[in-house]
Structures are given as structure tokens and as C-alpha cells.
Amino acid sequence: MEFINDMQRALQQYGTQYLEGAGNTLLLALVGTIAGCLIGFVVGTVQSIPLPQSKGKRGLMYVVRGLLRIYVEVFRGTPMIVQSVFIYYGAFYLGGGFSSPWSAGILVVSINTGAYMAETVRGGILSIDPGQMEGAKAIGMTHTQAMVNVILPQALRNIVPQIGNNFIINIKDTSVLSVISFADLFFVHKSVSGSLYLYFPSAVITMVIYLTMTLLASFLLRRWEAYLAGDDNYEMVNRPNDTLEQTSGLYRAKTKGEKR
């Protein structure tokens, strides 16, 4: 009973702060994941571009790829908590600084996620059958047009699970940003524990909130994957007035509401 009473006391006094911390955690994870995906798509796409024939352009491409490789290895090979301290306090040390922990937090989560997504995107692009690119170029598309209209949409579908995984990881990993005083859920837990000396009851509350957020995110991401996967049942198109389609064997997915 004492444990339940302690939890109730913590929620009564700091329930609003817990909710605000959870909201900050979700918002930071969402913004950081979206920005990181954009960074990852740019970096991963550049890394997968074929080397040009010109020696000058080839040398420039080597330099660009080398710099991008350094970025990926550094931010994949160091903990986010160290990156947070390095970027936040390093900016002040060099005479700059951030207007708030929010701006620093978004930057840290974005570039960290971008480093992981870069390799994911590169792998997703390489997983597409080379015949897709050859077919696109055969009908007159440039390399850029083929990437935008043919390759990247298919790669996106393949890497959606990894995007969702990174989002869930970011929900949890934002807790390390408490070292730069970012007011996320874990920061609230530390404040409540220090104020009421209820370390274990506050930890239980915090864990339940984190688990609720990750389970909800997993459910929504599975629904998104199912939506992108589309309908698994296909049938031959039946258009009696178009003999070309009948003989070529075009197929389409049944739309919702059609009888099977």
C-alpha cells in the first residue's frame, strides 16, 4: 500500500509535469526522426550515385563521399549522450551557443538519426533490382528522374520498418538529453525523484509512460506498413473494349468495396 500511495502522491503533485515531459519527448523524437530521414536520404542517395567518367568529377565525388563517410562513422560510433555534451557545450566554448536546449536537442537527434538512416537508405537503394534502373533509362529517363520516380519509392517501402525502429529508439534515447537540461520525461523523473525522494515509484511511472508511447508508436507504424503494402489479391483486368489489355495480361489490385 505504501508503494501505491507514493505513486499517487507523485502523480498528484507532478502529474502535469510528467505529461509535459512525455509530450516534449514525443515531439523531439518525431521532429528529429523526420529531419534525420531527410538527411539520411540525401547522404544515402549521394553515396549510391555511380562515379562519373570525368576525372575531375570523379575526384570531387571521392572527396564528397569521404566526408559523408566520416560523418556517418563518427555519429554511429559515438554515444548520443557524448554528442549532446560535445555539441551543446562545445558551441558555447567556441563563442557561439544555442538559444535553448530545444534547438540543441533537435540538432543532435537529427544528425544522429541521419547517420544511421544514411546506411539504411543506401542499402535500400542497392536492394532494388538493377533492371529497374535500366528499364527506366530505356524509356528515356535520366538518372535523377529514375531515382526520384522509380528507385526511391521502392526503397522507401523497403526501409519503412527501419524508419519506425529509429523513431522508437529516439523516443527512448532522448532521455540522454537531460545532461543539457532538456525537459523531457526522464528529466521530469529526475526532478521528481530529487524533490520527493521517491526514486522507485517515479521510475515505475516513467517506465509505464515510455512503454505506452513505444507500444502506440509500434501499432501506428505497423498500420502504415500495411497501408504501403497495399492489397495482396490481384486479378486480371477485364475491359471488353480493350483487346490489347486482355491479351497483354494486365493485373490490378481490387479496390475497397469491390466484390471478390
Side-chain angles (χ1 to χ4, degrees):
M1 286 297 296
E2 182 179 356
F3 172 71
I4 301 298
N5 292 333
D6 288 340
M7 289 184 61
Q8 290 178 344
R9 183 154 66 97
L11 288 173
Q12 287 174 355
Q13 296 187 32
Y14 294 97
T16 303
Q17 285 84 342
Y18 279 116
L19 291 178
E20 290 178 354
N24 290 340
T25 295
L26 279 176
L27 182 58
L28 178 61
L30 180 61
V31 174
T33 302
I34 293 174
C37 286
L38 295 177
I39 294 172
F41 264 92
V42 173
V43 175
T45 302
V46 171
Q47 289 181 323
S48 64
I49 295 176
L51 291 174
Q53 298 296 327
S54 171
K55 290 185 179 180
K57 292 181 179 180
R58 181 184 291 265
L60 178 61
M61 184 60 70
Y62 276 127
V63 173
V64 172
R65 285 188 176 183
L67 294 175
L68 294 179
R69 190 66 187 175
I70 292 173
Y71 154 67
V72 170
E73 294 301 332
V74 168
F75 283 94
R76 286 202 312 166
T78 55
M80 187 186 288
I81 189 171
V82 177
Q83 296 167 15
S84 304
V85 174
F86 176 82
I87 291 175
Y88 186 72
Y89 294 107
F92 287 103
Y93 183 79
L94 296 175
F98 293 92
S99 58
S100 69
W102 264 103
S103 55
I106 291 174
L107 178 62
V108 171
V109 176
S110 298
I111 58 181
N112 181 276
T113 304
Y116 284 94
M117 284 304 304
E119 289 299 291
T120 301
V121 171
R122 188 176 68 89
I125 291 174
L126 295 178
S127 70
I128 305 300
D129 191 329
Q132 298 284 323
M133 177 64 75
E134 295 172 2
K137 290 184 176 180
I139 61 174
M141 286 188 180
T142 64
H143 181 82
T144 301
Q145 290 174 331
M147 287 294 295
V148 172
N149 297 289
V150 179
I151 304 300
L152 287 181
Q154 296 181 72
L156 174 62
R157 179 177 174 181
N158 292 340
I159 66 177
V160 162
Q162 186 58 38
I163 294 176
N165 187 51
N166 282 333
F167 176 58
I168 292 173
I169 289 174
N170 285 338
I171 290 177
K172 298 179 295 180
D173 283 358
T174 53
S175 59
V176 304
L177 296 178
S178 61
V179 298
I180 60 173
S181 301
F182 179 78
D184 72 325
L185 179 57
F186 186 73
F187 182 84
V188 173
H189 159 67
K190 289 172 57 178
S191 301
V192 173
S193 300
S195 176
L196 300 179
Y197 299 101
L198 300 176
Y199 296 97
F200 182 64
S202 178
V204 172
I205 294 171
T206 304
M207 287 184 66
V208 170
I209 296 175
Y210 271 119
L211 182 61
T212 302
M213 291 191 294
T214 54
L215 289 177
L216 179 60
S218 297
F219 172 76
L220 294 177
L221 289 166
R222 288 195 185 98
R223 295 297 299 269
W224 186 30
E225 289 179 40
Y227 173 78
L228 291 178
D231 199 327
D232 291 334
N233 297 318
Y234 291 81
E235 66 172 5
M236 185 176 291
V237 172
N238 184 17
R239 297 179 183 176
N241 296 327
D242 194 334
T243 57
L244 178 60
E245 288 188 355
Q246 293 180 22
T247 56
S248 63
L250 292 177
Y251 291 82
R252 68 176 176 85
K254 286 186 177 181
T255 58
K256 292 183 180 179
E258 288 184 343
K259 293 183 179 180
R260 302 197 177 278

